[in-house]
Amino acid sequence: MRETFTLASDYIALCDLLKYCAVTESGGEAKHFIAEGNVLVDGEVEFRKRRKVRDGMVVSGDGFEIRVVAG
């Protein structure tokens, strides 16, 4: 899945982004998914669940890639 996400504000929390883009079904599932090291932000493994994802960043993992752009 490749998707572009348009921000409504300056940033979105990583766990919220995964839930909103249907990578996970819930916020709790997103937090576990991140904690297990399944998510990359700009090519680096990210463990911070509330990481601020901003314009220009790319969030990816096995089977998904989300490009974040300003609204």
Side-chain angles (χ1 to χ4, degrees), residues 3 8 12 16 23 29 40 53:
E3 187 171 337
I12 185 169
D16 294 337
V23 173
E29 185 180 330
L40 304 174
V53 180

Side-chain angles (χ1 to χ4, degrees), residues 9-23:
S9 61
D10 291 340
Y11 67 89
I12 185 169
L14 180 57
C15 59
D16 294 337
L17 177 67
L18 295 178
K19 181 178 68 171
Y20 186 84
C21 292
V23 173

Side-chain angles (χ1 to χ4, degrees), residues 47 61 65:
F47 293 101
E65 180 179 283

Side-chain angles (χ1 to χ4, degrees), residues 40-53:
L40 304 174
V41 176
D42 290 337
E44 304 221 357
V45 176
E46 182 59 65
F47 293 101
R48 293 174 289 172
K49 300 163 192 76
R50 303 292 303 169
R51 164 78 187 259
K52 292 178 180 177
V53 180

Side-chain angles (χ1 to χ4, degrees), residues 5-9 16-17 23-25 28 32 34-36 38 42 53 55-56 58 60 66-67:
F5 177 82
T6 304
L7 291 168
S9 61
D16 294 337
L17 177 67
V23 173
T24 61
E25 292 185 17
H32 288 291
I34 295 164
E36 291 170 355
N38 295 317
D42 290 337
V53 180
D55 177 40
V58 177
S60 60
I66 304 164
R67 295 190 174 278

